[in-house]
Amino acid sequence: MEDDKSQIVDLLISHNQILIRSRSYSEQLSQWGKENIEQGAVLHSNYVIFDPLPSDAFGANVFLRLTDEFVIDEKTQRCIVTPFYVDDGNKVEVASATEKFKINIKLEAPLYSLYYEICESDEVFYKFTFVPTKIPIKAQYLIDDPWGGEKDKTLKLGFL
């Protein structure tokens, strides 16, 4: 189901990355440093890349949602939140190293709390939830996870 508040894409995930960006592709912003690898994310104001955790190339459903309140999925294995700025809601994309999709939900606010979830049931799937906000949220893990994520641990922004 797709409307102005939700969208689902079947994304070919490869090269250990899944990203959301509200600007054009940037080689410079796509670089992973040692600390980025350790924290599982490269976070910039309008360009965020996450480690999808499984290392092979595979197709997965990515659920995109705009809502006023975040509710964690009971199937979530990892959950991260970060501030995310949108300059032009018509230029927001979800992508991997091999393909990209325009995000068609109505992102009209300049700032969001962006929630990233890795979920598992019969298959691995991903969720990105956009919650409009006036004040940037602290980038952090929201749950303890089996890959080293610690609840409430702050994530660093930029190339590290």
Side-chain angles (χ1 to χ4, degrees):
M1 180 177 180
E2 192 170 312
D3 56 36
D4 63 353
K5 293 192 177 200
S6 64
Q7 181 179 354
I8 302 170
V9 298
D10 184 6
L11 183 67
L12 177 60
I13 297 171
S14 65
H15 298 82
N16 291 59
Q17 60 186 359
I18 182 171
L19 64 105
I20 300 282
R21 60 184 178 224
S22 69
R23 56 168 294 159
S24 300
Y25 170 78
S26 168
E27 183 70 32
Q28 180 181 357
L29 296 179
S30 296
Q31 299 303 306
W32 290 76
K34 184 177 187 254
E35 285 187 60
N36 296 118
I37 292 168
E38 289 172 8
Q39 75 179 14
V42 179
L43 306 173
H44 300 285
S45 64
N46 60 1
Y47 200 102
V48 294
I49 310 169
F50 299 98
D51 183 343
L53 296 176
S55 59
D56 297 333
F58 62 99
N61 282 326
V62 178
F63 296 83
L64 303 152
R65 186 165 167 231
L66 172 64
T67 184
D68 291 330
E69 185 178 343
F70 174 71
V71 177
I72 194 165
D73 190 296
E74 63 185 28
K75 297 175 179 93
T76 297
Q77 303 294 308
R78 167 169 275 183
C79 188
I80 293 173
V81 64
T82 187
F84 186 75
Y85 290 85
V86 173
D87 296 323
D88 182 347
N90 293 316
K91 293 186 178 175
V92 184
E93 296 177 326
V94 58
S96 67
T98 54
E99 64 182 0
K100 64 184 180 182
F101 290 93
K102 182 180 184 299
I103 295 177
N104 295 319
I105 57 180
K106 290 200 181 272
L107 299 174
E108 297 171 338
L111 175 61
Y112 294 87
S113 294
L114 177 61
Y115 295 84
Y116 167 66
E117 295 172 272
I118 300 174
C119 305
E120 189 172 6
S121 64
D122 294 337
E123 296 180 342
V124 173
F125 62 96
Y126 299 88
K127 295 176 86 173
F128 288 100
T129 304
F130 295 84
V131 177
T133 187
K134 302 238 184 271
I135 301 169
I137 196 165
K138 177 176 72 170
Q140 65 183 345
Y141 290 100
L142 294 181
I143 60 173
D144 292 329
D145 69 45
W147 303 278
E150 299 172 25
K151 183 177 181 176
D152 299 327
K153 180 180 178 185
T154 300
L155 297 173
K156 297 176 184 175
L157 306 181
F159 173 78
L160 310 163

